Amino acid sequence: GAVVSQHPSWVICKSGTSVKIECRSLDFQATTMFWYRQFPKQSLMLMATSNEGSKATYEQGVEKDKFLINHASLTLSTLTVTSAHPEDSSFYICSASLPGLARETQYFGPGTRLLVL
Amino acid sequence: GENVEQHPSTLSVQEGDSAVIKCTYSDSASNYFPWYKQELGKRPQLIIDIRSNVGEKKDQRIAVTLNKTAKHFSLHITETQPEDSAVYFCAASIYSTLTFGKGTMLLVSP
């Protein structure tokens, strides 16, 4: 149980284009999903917290107009990197938490590696 | 906000030895402390967790201890095996938001 998928696993795009990444909870309903960014040999940095049906909460320093997050259903959250630039190249990972008493536990998706040329 | 320090950044051990990774946190309101294992290019996998009302938890070769007074928690791996080689992250949670340590690269040599 508690399986999270992400799509795509790899994406290469030209500078200035937009990229959408999907995060799905496959066998449970996730009221909360999280988006992280991880640069090589570094830790996971929380970008935003996404709650179903409401606006995402962004961490300090994360541009909400650049990283658009939509959580339209209990099993799907999307992250759109708008007007991507080479410095946005990174490993983007989503996670989802179980509802109820186990809500602190986060299960991670396999990640999306973004390369912006 | 919460700040999590993790040591050491790298740890090399011989197969069969024990490995210990230590973390400290700053916010006494943190109440949940998971440990994740991440292999190169893959997702973080939850290996063990502990809540603030518990001092120690064990799962086969892995154990975690928590000292709330000192605000530190540790991961202990006994009888290490080469497949334990990976990056390990500790984290502290306040209101379901995780703050991660910088990670420890564990290398277990045969």
Side-chain angles (χ1 to χ4, degrees):
Chain A
V3 178
V4 178
S5 71
Q6 245 179 279
H7 179 81
S9 55
W10 265 100
V11 58
I12 302 173
C13 69
K14 293 182 179 180
S15 185
T17 60
S18 294
V19 174
K20 180 184 280 190
I21 302 170
E22 291 186 349
C23 177
R24 293 181 185 273
S25 57
L26 298 186
D27 53 0
F28 66 101
Q29 292 184 329
T31 52
T32 304
M33 290 184 170
F34 304 84
W35 287 95
Y36 295 84
R37 181 166 52 183
Q38 186 177 35
F39 291 108
K41 297 186 178 181
Q42 293 190 23
S43 188
L44 291 88
M45 298 300 296
L46 179 65
M47 299 176 66
T49 301
S50 168
N51 289 294
E52 185 265 338
S54 62
K55 291 183 178 181
T57 301
Y58 290 81
E59 294 299 299
Q60 194 170 10
V62 178
E63 301 173 58
K64 61 181 67 176
D65 294 330
K66 181 169 183 62
F67 298 99
L68 301 179
I69 292 173
N70 183 277
H71 193 160
S73 77
L74 287 172
T75 59
L76 174 64
S77 178
T78 60
L79 168 68
T80 301
V81 184
T82 63
S83 186
H85 291 286
E87 58 266 29
D88 298 323
S89 299
S90 188
F91 191 46
Y92 291 86
I93 314 177
C94 70
S95 71
S97 59
L98 294 168
L101 295 176
R103 62 182 179 277
E104 295 103 337
T105 303
Q106 293 183 26
Y107 297 91
F108 285 84
T112 297
R113 198 162 299 279
L114 171 64
L115 177 60
V116 184
L117 302 177
Chain B
E2 175 64 283
N3 182 50
V4 178
E5 299 282 341
Q6 183 172 347
H7 298 281
S9 56
T10 58
L11 180 57
S12 294
V13 300
Q14 291 291 121
E15 182 177 2
D17 288 350
S18 295
V20 180
I21 303 171
K22 298 182 178 182
C23 290
T24 61
Y25 60 100
S26 60
D27 196 325
S28 56
S30 288
N31 58 1
Y32 173 67
F33 307 90
W35 287 87
Y36 287 87
K37 174 184 180 182
Q38 187 180 31
E39 296 177 0
L40 188 62
K42 297 191 175 180
R43 77 182 82 195
Q45 296 271 16
L46 178 69
I47 57 172
I48 197 167
D49 56 10
I50 192 167
R51 299 183 188 280
S52 59
N53 59 346
V54 176
E56 184 173 357
K57 184 177 179 180
K58 189 173 182 180
D59 182 4
Q60 300 183 336
R61 296 187 296 110
I62 296 172
V64 58
T65 60
L66 171 65
N67 183 326
K68 284 193 332 183
T69 303
K71 295 205 280 288
H72 66 70
F73 55 114
S74 300
L75 177 71
H76 305 252
I77 306 174
T78 59
E79 300 172 29
T80 54
Q81 301 165 3
E83 50 266 38
D84 293 330
S85 296
V87 178
Y88 291 80
F89 292 98
C90 65
S93 174
I94 301 176
Y95 308 119
S96 304
T97 297
L98 290 177
T99 301
F100 285 85
K102 290 187 184 299
T104 296
M105 179 176 292
L106 174 64
L107 177 62
V108 182
S109 303

